[in-house]
Amino acid sequence: VYRQRGQSRAYSAMGVLMAVRVALLALICAQGAGAFSAPRSSLISRARPLTAVSAGFGKSTGSEAKTAKGKLNAKKQWDRFVDLSKDGGGTAEVAVRKDAESEWKPIGRVCAVAELPAAAAAARQRALIEEHAKRIYLALLAEVGKAPLQVGVRVADGFELVGKEDRALVSSEQLGFEGLPDPRTGYYCHYDNGRLQSSDSAKADKPIETAPSTAAKVV
């Protein structure tokens, strides 16, 4: 009997000891997992893309920063407009409308090298022009939704419709687009010490060729 009681007490002590060992092992594992998870979270936070504010184009997001293949970048085309204008490139006013029964709505200007017609410059940058038009004219956006707009270039007696035949495979570096300033979104706005300045779009344009031309450089 005494021997059985001694064995029972020994088994109980061993059980307690095992329980203590399991608890200590679980605590060590938990602390180790916490020690390794902290640096991982800090690395992930550092890897997140930073958002930046582009002058004249408001705050850019991750999705906006990625330009689809073949799609022109609005900021780059605005910079090219400025550079080409300084180098003597001709400019022409562009406008949009819903259909032939609607009035033309001015939306900005295109600029191109001397041998490139205005219609080709507008056709090549049509997506940027339509996109900005729907940004500026919210009522027009409500009417047409995702449907395409008609684009026209300034001629002597008004605006001339830009057709699919006017589009040429020209380099985006040969042309540019400057839209009307939109203070609501910051697009195409000029600031001086935080104050919105008047746009250069009000200045007189140096006309560029509006007749079809085959002199455009093909890339």
Side-chain angles (χ1 to χ4, degrees), residues 117-178:
R124 180 70 175 87
Q125 302 176 106
R126 187 187 191 102
L128 293 180
I129 295 171
E130 290 192 50
E131 182 180 85
H132 190 55
K134 293 180 179 180
R135 184 182 298 116
I136 289 284
Y137 301 111
L138 298 181
L140 182 60
L141 172 61
E143 289 184 34
V144 301
K146 295 182 179 181
L149 297 171
Q150 291 186 354
V151 177
V153 293
R154 170 71 72 178
V155 291
D157 56 348
F159 288 95
E160 182 178 76
L161 183 65
V162 174
K164 294 181 179 180
E165 66 278 2
D166 294 312
R167 182 163 184 170
L169 296 177
V170 297
S171 170
S172 59
E173 297 180 358
Q174 295 181 294
L175 41 86
F177 169 68
E178 179 186 57

Short mmCIF file of all heavy atoms in Angstrom, two decimals, residues 117-178:
data_model
loop_
_atom_site.label_atom_id
_atom_site.label_comp_id
_atom_site.label_asym_id
_atom_site.label_seq_id
_atom_site.Cartn_x
_atom_site.Cartn_y
_atom_site.Cartn_z
N PRO A 117 0.37 68.78 -88.72
CA PRO A 117 -0.86 69.56 -88.73
C PRO A 117 -1.57 69.53 -87.38
O PRO A 117 -1.42 68.60 -86.59
CB PRO A 117 -1.71 68.89 -89.81
CG PRO A 117 -1.18 67.50 -89.89
CD PRO A 117 0.29 67.59 -89.59
N ALA A 118 -2.36 70.57 -87.12
CA ALA A 118 -3.07 70.68 -85.85
C ALA A 118 -4.03 69.52 -85.64
O ALA A 118 -4.18 69.03 -84.53
CB ALA A 118 -3.81 72.02 -85.80
N ALA A 119 -4.70 69.11 -86.71
CA ALA A 119 -5.67 68.03 -86.59
C ALA A 119 -5.00 66.74 -86.14
O ALA A 119 -5.54 65.98 -85.34
CB ALA A 119 -6.38 67.81 -87.93
N ALA A 120 -3.78 66.47 -86.64
CA ALA A 120 -3.05 65.27 -86.24
C ALA A 120 -2.62 65.36 -84.78
O ALA A 120 -2.67 64.37 -84.05
CB ALA A 120 -1.84 65.07 -87.14
N ALA A 121 -2.22 66.56 -84.34
CA ALA A 121 -1.82 66.75 -82.95
C ALA A 121 -3.00 66.53 -82.01
O ALA A 121 -2.88 65.93 -80.94
CB ALA A 121 -1.24 68.14 -82.75
N ALA A 122 -4.18 67.01 -82.43
CA ALA A 122 -5.38 66.83 -81.62
C ALA A 122 -5.84 65.38 -81.60
O ALA A 122 -6.25 64.85 -80.57
CB ALA A 122 -6.50 67.74 -82.13
N ALA A 123 -5.76 64.73 -82.77
CA ALA A 123 -6.19 63.33 -82.86
C ALA A 123 -5.29 62.43 -82.03
O ALA A 123 -5.77 61.49 -81.38
CB ALA A 123 -6.18 62.88 -84.32
N ARG A 124 -3.98 62.68 -82.04
CA ARG A 124 -3.04 61.86 -81.28
C ARG A 124 -3.27 62.00 -79.77
O ARG A 124 -3.04 61.06 -79.00
CB ARG A 124 -1.61 62.27 -81.63
CG ARG A 124 -0.52 61.48 -80.90
CD ARG A 124 -0.46 60.06 -81.38
NE ARG A 124 0.64 59.33 -80.77
CZ ARG A 124 0.58 58.70 -79.59
NH1 ARG A 124 -0.57 58.70 -78.91
NH2 ARG A 124 1.63 58.06 -79.11
N GLN A 125 -3.73 63.19 -79.35
CA GLN A 125 -3.95 63.45 -77.92
C GLN A 125 -5.43 63.50 -77.57
O GLN A 125 -5.82 64.08 -76.57
CB GLN A 125 -3.27 64.77 -77.53
CG GLN A 125 -1.78 64.79 -77.81
CD GLN A 125 -1.13 66.13 -77.53
OE1 GLN A 125 -0.43 66.31 -76.56
NE2 GLN A 125 -1.38 67.08 -78.41
N ARG A 126 -6.23 62.87 -78.38
CA ARG A 126 -7.68 62.92 -78.22
C ARG A 126 -8.13 62.44 -76.84
O ARG A 126 -9.02 63.03 -76.22
CB ARG A 126 -8.34 62.06 -79.31
CG ARG A 126 -9.86 62.17 -79.34
CD ARG A 126 -10.51 61.20 -80.31
NE ARG A 126 -11.91 61.53 -80.48
CZ ARG A 126 -12.40 62.17 -81.53
NH1 ARG A 126 -11.60 62.54 -82.51
NH2 ARG A 126 -13.69 62.44 -81.62
N ALA A 127 -7.53 61.37 -76.35
CA ALA A 127 -7.94 60.82 -75.05
C ALA A 127 -7.73 61.85 -73.94
O ALA A 127 -8.58 62.01 -73.06
CB ALA A 127 -7.17 59.54 -74.76
N LEU A 128 -6.59 62.55 -73.97
CA LEU A 128 -6.32 63.58 -72.96
C LEU A 128 -7.32 64.72 -73.06
O LEU A 128 -7.79 65.26 -72.04
CB LEU A 128 -4.90 64.12 -73.12
CG LEU A 128 -3.74 63.17 -72.83
CD1 LEU A 128 -2.42 63.87 -73.03
CD2 LEU A 128 -3.84 62.61 -71.41
N ILE A 129 -7.65 65.10 -74.29
CA ILE A 129 -8.58 66.20 -74.51
C ILE A 129 -9.98 65.85 -74.00
O ILE A 129 -10.62 66.63 -73.29
CB ILE A 129 -8.63 66.57 -76.01
CG1 ILE A 129 -7.26 67.11 -76.46
CG2 ILE A 129 -9.72 67.59 -76.29
CD1 ILE A 129 -7.14 67.31 -77.96
N GLU A 130 -10.46 64.66 -74.35
CA GLU A 130 -11.79 64.24 -73.90
C GLU A 130 -11.82 64.07 -72.39
O GLU A 130 -12.80 64.44 -71.73
CB GLU A 130 -12.17 62.92 -74.58
CG GLU A 130 -12.46 63.05 -76.06
CD GLU A 130 -13.11 61.79 -76.62
OE1 GLU A 130 -14.09 61.32 -76.03
OE2 GLU A 130 -12.63 61.29 -77.65
N GLU A 131 -10.76 63.51 -71.84
CA GLU A 131 -10.70 63.29 -70.40
C GLU A 131 -10.79 64.61 -69.64
O GLU A 131 -11.51 64.72 -68.64
CB GLU A 131 -9.40 62.57 -70.06
CG GLU A 131 -9.24 62.23 -68.60
CD GLU A 131 -7.92 61.53 -68.33
OE1 GLU A 131 -6.90 62.24 -68.14
OE2 GLU A 131 -7.88 60.29 -68.33
N HIS A 132 -10.06 65.61 -70.12
CA HIS A 132 -10.09 66.91 -69.44
C HIS A 132 -11.42 67.62 -69.66
O HIS A 132 -11.91 68.33 -68.77
CB HIS A 132 -8.94 67.79 -69.93
CG HIS A 132 -8.75 69.03 -69.13
ND1 HIS A 132 -8.57 69.02 -67.76
CD2 HIS A 132 -8.75 70.34 -69.50
CE1 HIS A 132 -8.45 70.26 -67.32
NE2 HIS A 132 -8.56 71.08 -68.35
N ALA A 133 -12.02 67.43 -70.83
CA ALA A 133 -13.32 68.05 -71.10
C ALA A 133 -14.38 67.54 -70.13
O ALA A 133 -15.19 68.30 -69.61
CB ALA A 133 -13.73 67.76 -72.54
N LYS A 134 -14.36 66.24 -69.86
CA LYS A 134 -15.33 65.68 -68.92
C LYS A 134 -15.00 66.06 -67.48
O LYS A 134 -15.85 65.98 -66.60
CB LYS A 134 -15.36 64.15 -69.07
CG LYS A 134 -15.91 63.70 -70.42
CD LYS A 134 -15.95 62.19 -70.55
CE LYS A 134 -16.51 61.77 -71.91
NZ LYS A 134 -16.56 60.29 -72.07
N ARG A 135 -13.76 66.48 -67.24
CA ARG A 135 -13.37 66.97 -65.92
C ARG A 135 -13.85 68.41 -65.73
O ARG A 135 -14.27 68.80 -64.64
CB ARG A 135 -11.84 66.89 -65.79
CG ARG A 135 -11.31 67.29 -64.42
CD ARG A 135 -9.79 67.23 -64.41
NE ARG A 135 -9.29 65.89 -64.67
CZ ARG A 135 -8.55 65.55 -65.73
NH1 ARG A 135 -8.23 66.46 -66.62
NH2 ARG A 135 -8.15 64.31 -65.88
N ILE A 136 -13.79 69.19 -66.80
CA ILE A 136 -14.16 70.61 -66.73
C ILE A 136 -15.68 70.79 -66.82
O ILE A 136 -16.28 71.51 -66.02
CB ILE A 136 -13.49 71.39 -67.88
CG1 ILE A 136 -11.99 71.52 -67.63
CG2 ILE A 136 -14.12 72.76 -68.05
CD1 ILE A 136 -11.61 72.55 -66.60
N TYR A 137 -16.29 70.15 -67.81
CA TYR A 137 -17.72 70.32 -68.06
C TYR A 137 -18.50 69.14 -67.47
O TYR A 137 -18.76 68.15 -68.14
CB TYR A 137 -17.97 70.43 -69.57
CG TYR A 137 -17.25 71.58 -70.22
CD1 TYR A 137 -16.18 71.35 -71.10
CD2 TYR A 137 -17.60 72.90 -69.95
CE1 TYR A 137 -15.51 72.39 -71.70
CE2 TYR A 137 -16.92 73.96 -70.55
CZ TYR A 137 -15.88 73.70 -71.42
OH TYR A 137 -15.20 74.75 -72.01
N LEU A 138 -18.87 69.28 -66.20
CA LEU A 138 -19.56 68.20 -65.50
C LEU A 138 -20.95 67.94 -66.09
O LEU A 138 -21.42 66.80 -66.10
CB LEU A 138 -19.67 68.55 -64.01
CG LEU A 138 -18.33 68.70 -63.28
CD1 LEU A 138 -18.57 69.01 -61.80
CD2 LEU A 138 -17.49 67.45 -63.43
N ALA A 139 -21.61 68.99 -66.57
CA ALA A 139 -22.92 68.80 -67.19
C ALA A 139 -22.79 67.98 -68.46
O ALA A 139 -23.65 67.12 -68.75
CB ALA A 139 -23.55 70.16 -67.49
N LEU A 140 -21.73 68.20 -69.20
CA LEU A 140 -21.49 67.43 -70.43
C LEU A 140 -21.20 65.98 -70.08
O LEU A 140 -21.68 65.06 -70.75
CB LEU A 140 -20.32 68.04 -71.20
CG LEU A 140 -19.96 67.38 -72.53
CD1 LEU A 140 -21.13 67.45 -73.50
CD2 LEU A 140 -18.73 68.06 -73.14
N LEU A 141 -20.46 65.77 -69.01
CA LEU A 141 -20.17 64.42 -68.55
C LEU A 141 -21.45 63.69 -68.18
O LEU A 141 -21.63 62.50 -68.48
CB LEU A 141 -19.23 64.46 -67.35
CG LEU A 141 -18.97 63.13 -66.62
CD1 LEU A 141 -18.34 62.12 -67.55
CD2 LEU A 141 -18.09 63.35 -65.39
N ALA A 142 -22.38 64.40 -67.54
CA ALA A 142 -23.64 63.79 -67.15
C ALA A 142 -24.46 63.39 -68.37
O ALA A 142 -25.21 62.41 -68.34
CB ALA A 142 -24.44 64.76 -66.27
N GLU A 143 -24.30 64.12 -69.46
CA GLU A 143 -25.05 63.83 -70.68
C GLU A 143 -24.48 62.63 -71.44
O GLU A 143 -25.23 61.76 -71.89
CB GLU A 143 -25.05 65.05 -71.60
CG GLU A 143 -25.90 66.21 -71.12
CD GLU A 143 -25.92 67.35 -72.13
OE1 GLU A 143 -25.87 67.07 -73.34
OE2 GLU A 143 -25.96 68.51 -71.70
N VAL A 144 -23.18 62.60 -71.60
CA VAL A 144 -22.57 61.60 -72.47
C VAL A 144 -22.03 60.39 -71.71
O VAL A 144 -21.88 59.31 -72.29
CB VAL A 144 -21.43 62.23 -73.30
CG1 VAL A 144 -21.97 63.37 -74.15
CG2 VAL A 144 -20.29 62.72 -72.40
N GLY A 145 -21.71 60.55 -70.42
CA GLY A 145 -21.15 59.44 -69.66
C GLY A 145 -19.81 59.01 -70.24
O GLY A 145 -18.90 59.83 -70.42
N LYS A 146 -19.69 57.73 -70.58
CA LYS A 146 -18.45 57.20 -71.14
C LYS A 146 -18.40 57.28 -72.67
O LYS A 146 -17.41 56.86 -73.28
CB LYS A 146 -18.25 55.75 -70.70
CG LYS A 146 -18.05 55.59 -69.19
CD LYS A 146 -17.80 54.14 -68.84
CE LYS A 146 -17.57 53.97 -67.35
NZ LYS A 146 -17.30 52.55 -66.97
N ALA A 147 -19.46 57.80 -73.28
CA ALA A 147 -19.49 57.91 -74.74
C ALA A 147 -18.44 58.92 -75.21
O ALA A 147 -18.14 59.89 -74.51
CB ALA A 147 -20.88 58.34 -75.20
N PRO A 148 -17.87 58.72 -76.40
CA PRO A 148 -16.84 59.65 -76.89
C PRO A 148 -17.42 61.00 -77.27
O PRO A 148 -18.61 61.13 -77.59
CB PRO A 148 -16.27 58.92 -78.12
CG PRO A 148 -17.39 58.03 -78.57
CD PRO A 148 -18.08 57.59 -77.31
N LEU A 149 -16.57 62.02 -77.22
CA LEU A 149 -16.95 63.37 -77.62
C LEU A 149 -16.37 63.67 -78.99
O LEU A 149 -15.43 63.02 -79.44
CB LEU A 149 -16.42 64.39 -76.61
CG LEU A 149 -16.94 64.30 -75.18
CD1 LEU A 149 -16.15 65.23 -74.27
CD2 LEU A 149 -18.43 64.64 -75.12
N GLN A 150 -16.92 64.67 -79.65
CA GLN A 150 -16.34 65.16 -80.90
C GLN A 150 -15.30 66.21 -80.54
O GLN A 150 -15.52 67.06 -79.68
CB GLN A 150 -17.42 65.76 -81.80
CG GLN A 150 -18.39 64.72 -82.35
CD GLN A 150 -19.37 65.31 -83.36
OE1 GLN A 150 -19.41 66.52 -83.58
NE2 GLN A 150 -20.16 64.45 -83.98
N VAL A 151 -14.16 66.15 -81.21
CA VAL A 151 -13.06 67.09 -80.97
C VAL A 151 -12.83 67.92 -82.22
O VAL A 151 -12.88 67.39 -83.34
CB VAL A 151 -11.77 66.33 -80.58
CG1 VAL A 151 -10.61 67.29 -80.40
CG2 VAL A 151 -11.99 65.51 -79.31
N GLY A 152 -12.58 69.20 -82.03
CA GLY A 152 -12.33 70.09 -83.15
C GLY A 152 -11.15 71.00 -82.90
O GLY A 152 -10.79 71.26 -81.75
N VAL A 153 -10.54 71.48 -83.99
CA VAL A 153 -9.43 72.44 -83.90
C VAL A 153 -9.87 73.76 -84.51
O VAL A 153 -10.68 73.79 -85.44
CB VAL A 153 -8.17 71.91 -84.61
CG1 VAL A 153 -7.61 70.70 -83.89
CG2 VAL A 153 -8.46 71.57 -86.07
N ARG A 154 -9.32 74.84 -83.99
CA ARG A 154 -9.70 76.18 -84.44
C ARG A 154 -9.23 76.43 -85.87
O ARG A 154 -8.08 76.19 -86.23
CB ARG A 154 -9.09 77.21 -83.50
CG ARG A 154 -9.19 78.64 -83.96
CD ARG A 154 -10.61 79.17 -83.88
NE ARG A 154 -11.03 79.38 -82.50
CZ ARG A 154 -12.22 79.88 -82.17
NH1 ARG A 154 -13.11 80.18 -83.13
NH2 ARG A 154 -12.54 80.05 -80.90
N VAL A 155 -10.16 76.92 -86.69
CA VAL A 155 -9.85 77.39 -88.04
C VAL A 155 -10.41 78.81 -88.14
O VAL A 155 -10.94 79.36 -87.18
CB VAL A 155 -10.47 76.47 -89.12
CG1 VAL A 155 -9.76 75.12 -89.13
CG2 VAL A 155 -11.97 76.29 -88.90
N ALA A 156 -10.30 79.39 -89.33
CA ALA A 156 -10.68 80.80 -89.49
C ALA A 156 -12.13 81.06 -89.12
O ALA A 156 -12.45 82.08 -88.50
CB ALA A 156 -10.40 81.24 -90.92
N ASP A 157 -13.02 80.17 -89.49
CA ASP A 157 -14.45 80.41 -89.29
C ASP A 157 -15.06 79.55 -88.17
O ASP A 157 -16.26 79.31 -88.15
CB ASP A 157 -15.22 80.17 -90.60
CG ASP A 157 -14.98 78.76 -91.14
OD1 ASP A 157 -14.07 78.09 -90.64
OD2 ASP A 157 -15.71 78.36 -92.07
N GLY A 158 -14.25 79.08 -87.25
CA GLY A 158 -14.80 78.30 -86.15
C GLY A 158 -13.90 77.13 -85.80
O GLY A 158 -12.68 77.28 -85.69
N PHE A 159 -14.52 75.97 -85.66
CA PHE A 159 -13.76 74.75 -85.34
C PHE A 159 -14.00 73.70 -86.42
O PHE A 159 -15.12 73.56 -86.92
CB PHE A 159 -14.18 74.19 -83.97
CG PHE A 159 -13.69 75.02 -82.82
CD1 PHE A 159 -14.51 75.98 -82.24
CD2 PHE A 159 -12.41 74.84 -82.30
CE1 PHE A 159 -14.07 76.74 -81.18
CE2 PHE A 159 -11.96 75.60 -81.23
CZ PHE A 159 -12.79 76.55 -80.67
N GLU A 160 -12.94 72.99 -86.73
CA GLU A 160 -13.01 71.93 -87.73
C GLU A 160 -12.95 70.58 -87.03
O GLU A 160 -12.07 70.33 -86.19
CB GLU A 160 -11.85 72.07 -88.71
CG GLU A 160 -11.85 71.05 -89.83
CD GLU A 160 -10.70 71.27 -90.79
OE1 GLU A 160 -9.57 70.92 -90.44
OE2 GLU A 160 -10.94 71.81 -91.89
N LEU A 161 -13.89 69.70 -87.36
CA LEU A 161 -13.99 68.40 -86.72
C LEU A 161 -12.76 67.55 -87.02
O LEU A 161 -12.31 67.45 -88.15
CB LEU A 161 -15.24 67.67 -87.21
CG LEU A 161 -15.54 66.31 -86.57
CD1 LEU A 161 -15.85 66.46 -85.09
CD2 LEU A 161 -16.72 65.63 -87.29
N VAL A 162 -12.23 66.92 -85.98
CA VAL A 162 -11.08 66.03 -86.11
C VAL A 162 -11.61 64.62 -86.33
O VAL A 162 -12.40 64.09 -85.53
CB VAL A 162 -10.20 66.07 -84.85
CG1 VAL A 162 -9.08 65.03 -84.94
CG2 VAL A 162 -9.62 67.46 -84.66
N GLY A 163 -11.20 63.99 -87.43
CA GLY A 163 -11.66 62.66 -87.76
C GLY A 163 -10.61 61.59 -87.50
O GLY A 163 -9.46 61.89 -87.18
N LYS A 164 -11.01 60.33 -87.65
CA LYS A 164 -10.08 59.23 -87.44
C LYS A 164 -8.95 59.26 -88.46
O LYS A 164 -7.84 58.81 -88.18
CB LYS A 164 -10.84 57.90 -87.54
CG LYS A 164 -11.85 57.68 -86.42
CD LYS A 164 -12.53 56.33 -86.57
CE LYS A 164 -13.52 56.08 -85.44
NZ LYS A 164 -14.21 54.77 -85.57
N GLU A 165 -9.26 59.80 -89.65
CA GLU A 165 -8.24 59.84 -90.69
C GLU A 165 -7.12 60.83 -90.37
O GLU A 165 -6.05 60.81 -90.99
CB GLU A 165 -8.87 60.21 -92.03
CG GLU A 165 -9.44 61.62 -92.11
CD GLU A 165 -10.83 61.76 -91.50
OE1 GLU A 165 -11.34 60.75 -90.98
OE2 GLU A 165 -11.39 62.87 -91.56
N ASP A 166 -7.35 61.71 -89.39
CA ASP A 166 -6.34 62.70 -89.03
C ASP A 166 -5.27 62.13 -88.11
O ASP A 166 -4.21 62.75 -87.93
CB ASP A 166 -6.99 63.91 -88.34
CG ASP A 166 -7.91 64.68 -89.28
OD1 ASP A 166 -7.48 64.97 -90.41
OD2 ASP A 166 -9.06 64.96 -88.88
N ARG A 167 -5.56 60.98 -87.51
CA ARG A 167 -4.59 60.42 -86.57
C ARG A 167 -3.40 59.83 -87.33
O ARG A 167 -3.57 59.10 -88.29
CB ARG A 167 -5.24 59.35 -85.70
CG ARG A 167 -4.28 58.77 -84.67
CD ARG A 167 -5.02 58.04 -83.58
NE ARG A 167 -4.10 57.55 -82.55
CZ ARG A 167 -4.49 57.05 -81.39
NH1 ARG A 167 -5.78 56.96 -81.12
NH2 ARG A 167 -3.62 56.66 -80.50
N ALA A 168 -2.22 60.17 -86.86
CA ALA A 168 -0.99 59.66 -87.48
C ALA A 168 -0.11 59.05 -86.40
O ALA A 168 -0.19 59.41 -85.23
CB ALA A 168 -0.24 60.79 -88.19
N LEU A 169 0.71 58.09 -86.80
CA LEU A 169 1.63 57.45 -85.88
C LEU A 169 2.84 58.34 -85.67
O LEU A 169 3.90 58.14 -86.25
CB LEU A 169 2.05 56.08 -86.40
CG LEU A 169 0.92 55.05 -86.51
CD1 LEU A 169 1.46 53.76 -87.12
CD2 LEU A 169 0.32 54.77 -85.14
N VAL A 170 2.67 59.37 -84.86
CA VAL A 170 3.74 60.33 -84.61
C VAL A 170 4.21 60.18 -83.17
O VAL A 170 3.49 59.69 -82.30
CB VAL A 170 3.26 61.77 -84.87
CG1 VAL A 170 2.89 61.95 -86.32
CG2 VAL A 170 2.08 62.12 -83.98
N SER A 171 5.42 60.61 -82.94
CA SER A 171 5.99 60.54 -81.61
C SER A 171 5.30 61.54 -80.69
O SER A 171 5.03 62.68 -81.09
CB SER A 171 7.50 60.82 -81.66
OG SER A 171 8.01 60.98 -80.36
N SER A 172 5.04 61.14 -79.46
CA SER A 172 4.41 62.04 -78.49
C SER A 172 5.33 63.21 -78.15
O SER A 172 4.88 64.23 -77.62
CB SER A 172 4.05 61.28 -77.22
OG SER A 172 5.19 60.68 -76.63
N GLU A 173 6.62 63.09 -78.43
CA GLU A 173 7.57 64.16 -78.16
C GLU A 173 7.44 65.30 -79.15
O GLU A 173 8.01 66.37 -78.94
CB GLU A 173 9.00 63.61 -78.19
CG GLU A 173 9.27 62.57 -77.11
CD GLU A 173 10.69 62.04 -77.17
OE1 GLU A 173 11.43 62.46 -78.07
OE2 GLU A 173 11.05 61.21 -76.32
N GLN A 174 6.70 65.10 -80.24
CA GLN A 174 6.53 66.12 -81.26
C GLN A 174 5.31 67.00 -81.02
O GLN A 174 5.04 67.91 -81.81
CB GLN A 174 6.41 65.48 -82.64
CG GLN A 174 7.67 64.75 -83.09
CD GLN A 174 7.49 64.15 -84.46
OE1 GLN A 174 6.69 63.25 -84.66
NE2 GLN A 174 8.23 64.67 -85.43
N LEU A 175 4.59 66.74 -79.96
CA LEU A 175 3.36 67.49 -79.72
C LEU A 175 3.09 67.60 -78.22
O LEU A 175 3.72 66.94 -77.41
CB LEU A 175 2.17 66.82 -80.43
CG LEU A 175 2.11 65.28 -80.37
CD1 LEU A 175 1.41 64.82 -79.12
CD2 LEU A 175 1.41 64.73 -81.60
N GLY A 176 2.13 68.47 -77.88
CA GLY A 176 1.78 68.65 -76.47
C GLY A 176 0.36 69.18 -76.34
O GLY A 176 -0.25 69.60 -77.34
N PHE A 177 -0.15 69.14 -75.13
CA PHE A 177 -1.51 69.63 -74.88
C PHE A 177 -1.54 70.35 -73.54
O PHE A 177 -1.00 69.88 -72.55
CB PHE A 177 -2.51 68.48 -74.85
CG PHE A 177 -3.87 68.86 -74.34
CD1 PHE A 177 -4.69 69.73 -75.06
CD2 PHE A 177 -4.34 68.38 -73.12
CE1 PHE A 177 -5.95 70.09 -74.58
CE2 PHE A 177 -5.59 68.74 -72.63
CZ PHE A 177 -6.40 69.59 -73.37
N GLU A 178 -2.18 71.52 -73.56
CA GLU A 178 -2.41 72.28 -72.33
C GLU A 178 -3.90 72.56 -72.22
O GLU A 178 -4.50 73.23 -73.06
CB GLU A 178 -1.65 73.61 -72.35
CG GLU A 178 -1.90 74.44 -71.09
CD GLU A 178 -1.27 75.82 -71.15
OE1 GLU A 178 -1.58 76.57 -72.10
OE2 GLU A 178 -0.46 76.14 -70.26
#
